[in-house]
Amino acid sequence: MNYRDLAATIIENIGGKENVNQVVHCATRLRFRLKDEAKAKTDVLKKTSGVLSVINAGGQYQVVIGPDVAQVYQEVVDLGGFEAMAQVPDDEPKKEQNKLSALLEFIASIFQPIIPPITAGGLIKAVMALLVTLNLLDKTTQTYSLLSAFADAPFYFLPVLLASSAAKRFKCNQFIAMALGGILIYPSFITMVTEAKAAGTGIAMFGIPITLASYSSSVIPIILGVWFMSYVEKYMNKVSPKAIKFFSVPMVSLVVSGIVTLAVLGPIGTWVGNILAAFFKWLDSTASWAVPTLVGTLSPLLVMTGTHYGLIPIGVNNLATAGFDTVVGPGMLASNVAQGAAGFAVAVRSKNKQTKELAASAGLTGVLGITEPVLYGINLKFVYPLIGAMIGGFTGGLYMGIMKTGRYAAGSPGLLVLPGYIGGEGMTNFVNACIGTGVAIVVSFIATFVLFGIYAKQGKLDAEETGAGVTTETNTEVITAKCGDKDIVSVADGKILSKDEILDDMFKEETMGKTIGVDPVNGIIVSPANGTLEMVYETGHAFAVRTNNGRGILVHIGINTVELKGQGFKTLKKQGETVKAGEPIVEVDDEAVKKAGYSMQTFTVITETEDGDEITFEASGDVTKGQKIGA
């Protein structure tokens, strides 16, 4: 993949760099905020090689690239000169956005930056548990104690980590927010709370009673505290004289926010967190299978709608408060590996080389935890693998739910985070996670494999996917070779052109003979009939076939494309070779031809016939290469 060329194409088709307010990227997508979304050529981008899909949702114009997104992003930034671009200003006109989706995305954006440290902490715990089980680590040693500190630190100091990321989202001073988080876990404060609880007394500040609560590993209290602090800071910035603003703003922000957080917001956050913990504990005891099963089944749909953002805080809160998560992680693990397995099944079943390659690579990233490439590039495109993946996610999630399987570490749910399921007594939890993952993979693969056959029989898959009319390296049989010598087939996938749609007057008026045109959707051009390749132009833009019954047929690719002097054209057959209807003759870089300013309209012209030979073209609408269109 040429990242720079792809970046240039993307910038051109989103309306140019002048139409961009902001561009960022996540694990698989370029996320643009455009000034005018109407200027974006979505249909063109969707057909661009290297682009898996285009999604316009939540006020963002998202171009799905896959694992190479970081490289493409760097080229986009370089070509567009976006290095110095700031966040969208507050007075920027707001885009229409679903309020629930926006809220969930906002909350998730606070938690996403802290996932790496808590993932590290959880995995360290998992490795320690494994080493203890194998008698390679003694719990009484200093090494074990120090490793415990490494593992527990991200969770103990969670209020500080969350304060940092929350401050960025609430647009207030990041370091004052971290200091606020530090107050909640300050040793002297914890000691005062512990002693007051033991003595049955209380503590107060300026006569204001402080709730006796513990905030280490807490989630909600600090978020509420930083939210309140953002308003205090803005107010102080507005009213403080410039001469004293340097110290007045941070001092008042920390003191006022600290008191309000300890006295009011912290207890509220603790109460909410306890309610959530109690709810999930009740759910786990009454129907432990339900949530993992639903999450395993519906995760692809949640990702498509953006509502999966709401699961991230729940999982993090469970890990922080209970030390493990049976609600979010297992279901998403089953769903992700099932989507990857569906991609592998498509790679095995499809006869289209490009689809096979994409499905295999996207399937690999899927089972490793990044599902957007396989979801948007394969599963949604063909539908049947999406159904297969949901069936696999259902069975894997159901098994792990019944077995009450839980994760002890966060991370992108996939094969690489399986060590995060090591914990508790023995290895039972880890074994069940492996079994549930295996069930999801096997069931998804089989379901997708079977559904391919069903969809193919129902005619819901085109010839390129099933192998009809396609020549590949492993299957040289051309199904359309069964055509009779009088049959004429479409030379490309695309749409048959009406007379009014033909852009070249010579072909429109059938000056050279009876003509039919097609607007191709890809660059593979095939033989229109059984016969001999009588001529292949050096430029590759045209070729002629002499049919077995004596007809002369000219295939002309594009309008005025001879001017390209062969650039973008690759001939697959040589002059004088015998060819069959539907056999590929020329491969065209259609995007390069279009970018050069030429139309790709392709014409099949009957230049010679025997006396009394009448030819009728019957096709209209969409056609596939190798499909009979006349006789």
Side-chain angles (χ1 to χ4, degrees), residues 292-317:
T293 304
L294 289 173
V295 173
T297 307
L298 301 178
S299 273
L301 307 182
L302 298 177
V303 171
M304 289 159 52
T305 58
T307 49
H308 68 296
Y309 288 123
L311 297 177
I312 297 174
I314 295 173
V316 172
N317 186 71

Side-chain angles (χ1 to χ4, degrees), residues 512 525-528 531-547 551-557 571-579 585-586 607-608:
M512 299 175 62
I525 309 299
V526 304
S527 174
T532 302
L533 199 54
E534 193 170 45
M535 180 181 290
V536 179
Y537 286 76
E538 290 184 5
T539 55
H541 80 289
F543 60 89
V545 174
R546 177 67 61 178
T547 69
R551 293 171 175 168
I553 304 179
L554 172 70
V555 176
H556 193 284
I557 308 166
T571 55
L572 307 176
K573 292 288 182 179
K574 295 180 180 179
Q575 187 169 311
E577 287 191 68
T578 299
V579 294
I585 307 297
V586 179
T607 56
E608 295 180 58

Side-chain angles (χ1 to χ4, degrees), residues 8 42 64 74 82-83 220 247 249 275 300 307 393 397 402 438 530 589:
T42 301
V64 183
Q74 291 300 326
F82 301 131
E83 296 94 338
I220 300 176
F247 60 84
V249 173
I275 289 178
T307 49
I402 292 174
N530 297 331
D589 186 348

Side-chain angles (χ1 to χ4, degrees), residues 280-303:
F280 288 118
K281 185 176 180 180
W282 168 82
L283 191 64
D284 186 58
S285 62
T286 55
S288 61
W289 57 270
V291 176
T293 304
L294 289 173
V295 173
T297 307
L298 301 178
S299 273
L301 307 182
L302 298 177
V303 171

Side-chain angles (χ1 to χ4, degrees), residues 80 90 133 183 326 403 474 477:
D90 290 337
T133 302
I183 292 173
T326 59
M403 303 308 294
T474 57
E477 177 185 5

Side-chain angles (χ1 to χ4, degrees), residues 394-411:
F394 169 83
T395 53
L398 177 62
Y399 176 84
M400 286 192 273
I402 292 174
M403 303 308 294
K404 295 188 176 182
T405 307
R407 60 174 177 168
Y408 291 83

